Structures are given as structure tokens and as C-alpha cells.
Amino acid sequence: MDQTVFAQFIEQLHRYVRDRLIPAEPQVIADDAVPPEIVDEMREMGLFGLTTPEEFGGAGMNIPQYVETIRVLSHAMPAYRSTASINLGMVCSALKNGGTNAQKAEWLPRIATGEIACFGLTEPGSGSDSAAMATTAKADGDGYILTGSKRYITNAPQAKLGLIMARTHAETLPGNGHVSAFLVPMDSPGVSVSKPDRKMGQAGSHIADIYLDEVKLPGAALLGGVEGRGFATAMQSLDNGRLSVAAASCGYARRMLDTALRYATERKAFGEPIAGFQLIQAMLADSEAELYAAECMLKDAAERANQGKAILACASAKLFASEMCGRVADRCVQIHGGAGYLAEYEAERFYRDARVYRIYEGTSQIMQLVIAKQMLRDFAAGAQG
């Protein structure tokens, strides 16, 4: 997208977040759902197709533009980002990078116009450990039969399309070659979705289990038309997903800090605003410094991802930004004091909402492993060179 056009879009998005999305938050919380009219507005604004190439009806944003959009959108509560982010990051990325021409032509225009998608990797017995994946895809003539289940799948109750990972080989192959990716219409016979799980926070954002009971798919459902590339596709998509979580962490942390700053200037103790107390100032200052660092990391990681060299940067940005967001949330509650523990104030909700960012798209501990392993690979390659 042209940078001038993008700047105009971001200005419009800022207004939409401030004037429409934030005022609607009490309704989202009460209904545990984003109002249908807001979802329709998001479709009309093109928010589901920002990263889809223009030839397929999208805006053709590059990765830095996409990441900045998510950061701005995430100043409002997380449910809005969750509604569109799987389309924008993970599924669109997988189709662009790994889909056949026919798959792109069929699905990219549909997700760009707002057919909600989901991404099925995690299972009851496996998450980051793909060797333990139990969902199978057995060859059946020219197609496949999928059997298994997926857990904690964002947008599963609303999704029209699922990008589902499954074993196409019983044995564990090097490079996770036993895992393939499938484009699964969610209305396919044999696909069912559980009731949404009750969660600690993030009202209006739904996760649920997906059950696959001998789901028959044509061979054209295999992403890219080649077996054994599913895990690599998932990992490439997860880079975008991790940048999205990092951007969400930065956007929401900025909202928290603004709220804490406002409360500190309004709340009085001992005859003066608590913002005048140095220990309150220390919490505000630490939050600003950490948030600034995370925002800088986010921009750099997005630029590196745009150049195709991003595993280390994306994992580092996600790790630091999500942990930072948790610390800012904690300080926001602390600055509110007793009021921070009450549902009447936003600080309590911020604290619950922020916690999952250290788990989404790979826990902080998995990010540490990803970073360390990439460092060791880079060192070994340098030593050999």
C-alpha cells in the first residue's frame, strides 16, 4: 500500500478506535461478543483484507504496515483484533507463501471480504511438540480423510475456513515432514466445534475445540499440493502471528499506561494528586521506558520480517513485548491501589486480558528456546563459514 494512503488509513483507524470501538466495550463485555454491526463495519473498512494482495481484493499491506495497524487497533480491547487477526496474519500468510494458484484464487478473496478463518495446530496432547500430533490425514483415493481434534482455536465458533495441521505420515520425519496443512471448510461433514471455552479475560474473543470425524477432503485441500510442508508453513505463519501478539501487547500497554497516568493525576492522597509521589512516578517511568523499547523492537522486527529474515527478531519482539505488557498491567493495578482490584475500573480487566499474551502463539518459554536455537544455528553457520 502506498505510504500516503496508509497514513490516511491509520488516521481514520485512530478515530474509529477512539470514537467507535472503545465506547462499545461495555456492550462487548456484557454480550461476550463483538456486535455484528461492528464486524460488518470492519468488513466495510477492509480490515479483514489488509494483507491480501490487491489482485485478490485486498489492500496489499506490507508487514510493517500490517503490524502498525494491529498496534493501533489494539488500543481497544483484544476482541476486535482477535476477530480479524487470524485472517490477516496466519491464514493469509500461509496462502500467500504456500498455496497453489487455485487455492489463492478461491480463498484469498473470501477471507479478504471477511469470511472468518481459524488456525488449527494445538491439540489436547500437543502444542509446540509436533511429534506428538495425533490428528491424522490418511490418503483416500485422490483425497484425504482427517480424524482428530484441535484445542484452544481462536475464532473456531465463527470460522468459515480452518487451516488445519495433520499427520500425513505415521512416523516422525526429519524437519517435521510428517505434518501437512489442509484448507478445511468448516461446514464440511464431520467437522464440529465445541461450545466456546470460559476464559480468564478477553471477553468477546472466542476459543473452542474443533473435532474432525473422518472428514473427507479432496486432494486440492492440501495446502500447496505437497505433503510434509505443513509445519514449515505453520512456522512461517507463526512469525506473523507473533508479530501480531507483540503489536497487540504494545497497543494495549499504551492504553493501560494512559489509563494509569490519568488516574494518577486525578486521584488525591494527602491533599495532592498521587502523580506527585515519586514511587508512583517510578512505576510510570519504568512503564514508559519498557513500552518504548518494545515499540522499537516491534518496528525493527517488522522490517526484518518484510525482508524475509525474521525468526530471531519476531520471537524476541514477542517475548519482550508480551512480558512488558504484563508488567505494565501489574503497575496499572498497583497505581490504582484498591480500586485496581475492582471490576468497576478498567485496570482489573486490563490485568486479566494481558495475561494470555505470554501464552498465545508460543509461550515465553518456547520463545526463549526458539531464540536460543536460532542463535546456536547462526553461530554454527558462522563458525563453519
Side-chain angles (χ1 to χ4, degrees), residues 114-162:
E115 286 195 18
I116 293 175
C118 64
F119 184 88
L121 175 62
T122 302
E123 297 184 1
S126 71
S128 304
D129 178 14
S130 70
M133 183 177 293
T135 298
T136 60
K138 295 183 178 180
D140 179 50
D142 294 333
Y144 295 87
I145 297 178
L146 268 62
T147 302
S149 63
K150 299 294 177 178
R151 176 157 288 180
Y152 309 138
I153 307 304
T154 300
N155 290 342
Q158 295 83 30
K160 302 296 185 182
L161 168 68

Side-chain angles (χ1 to χ4, degrees), residues 77-255:
M77 66 186 302
Y80 301 118
R81 181 198 74 96
S82 292
T83 300
S85 65
I86 306 300
N87 283 43
L88 291 174
M90 303 172 78
V91 175
C92 181
S93 174
L95 278 164
K96 288 192 299 183
N97 295 331
T100 64
N101 290 335
Q103 289 167 344
K104 294 175 185 178
E106 178 179 2
W107 288 109
L108 283 175
R110 294 171 65 173
I111 65 173
T113 55
E115 286 195 18
I116 293 175
C118 64
F119 184 88
L121 175 62
T122 302
E123 297 184 1
S126 71
S128 304
D129 178 14
S130 70
M133 183 177 293
T135 298
T136 60
K138 295 183 178 180
D140 179 50
D142 294 333
Y144 295 87
I145 297 178
L146 268 62
T147 302
S149 63
K150 299 294 177 178
R151 176 157 288 180
Y152 309 138
I153 307 304
T154 300
N155 290 342
Q158 295 83 30
K160 302 296 185 182
L161 168 68
L163 181 60
I164 305 296
M165 305 297 143
R167 300 183 74 104
T168 42
H169 294 274
E171 67 276 16
T172 299
L173 301 179
N176 294 288
H178 55 286
V179 181
S180 300
F182 293 87
L183 295 159
V184 181
M186 294 298 286
D187 60 358
S188 299
V191 176
S192 59
V193 178
S194 70
K195 291 182 178 179
D197 293 304
R198 297 180 63 186
K199 309 187 305 300
M200 177 189 293
Q202 302 219 357
S205 171
H206 298 149
I207 64 173
D209 291 357
I210 296 174
Y211 303 107
L212 307 159
D213 183 11
E214 296 190 349
V215 178
K216 293 185 178 181
L217 298 174
L222 176 65
L223 185 70
V226 179
E227 292 185 2
R229 294 186 181 174
F231 193 80
T233 300
M235 291 303 101
Q236 290 175 352
S237 299
L238 279 175
D239 278 344
N240 277 348
R242 287 164 181 167
L243 283 175
S244 179
V245 174
S249 298
C250 289
Y252 212 38
R254 181 61 66 186
R255 168 82 176 278

Side-chain angles (χ1 to χ4, degrees), residues 63-64 67 93 97 235-243 246 297-319 367 370-371 374-375 377-378:
I63 293 175
V67 167
S93 174
N97 295 331
M235 291 303 101
Q236 290 175 352
S237 299
L238 279 175
D239 278 344
N240 277 348
R242 287 164 181 167
L243 283 175
M297 287 182 71
L298 179 66
K299 289 180 180 179
D300 181 73
E303 290 291 347
R304 290 171 184 262
N306 209 41
Q307 298 166 13
K309 301 175 181 179
I311 294 175
L312 191 63
C314 291
S316 297
K318 194 271 184 186
L319 171 64
M367 292 302 96
V370 170
I371 293 166
Q374 187 63 42
M375 290 171 64
R377 282 194 291 267
D378 292 346

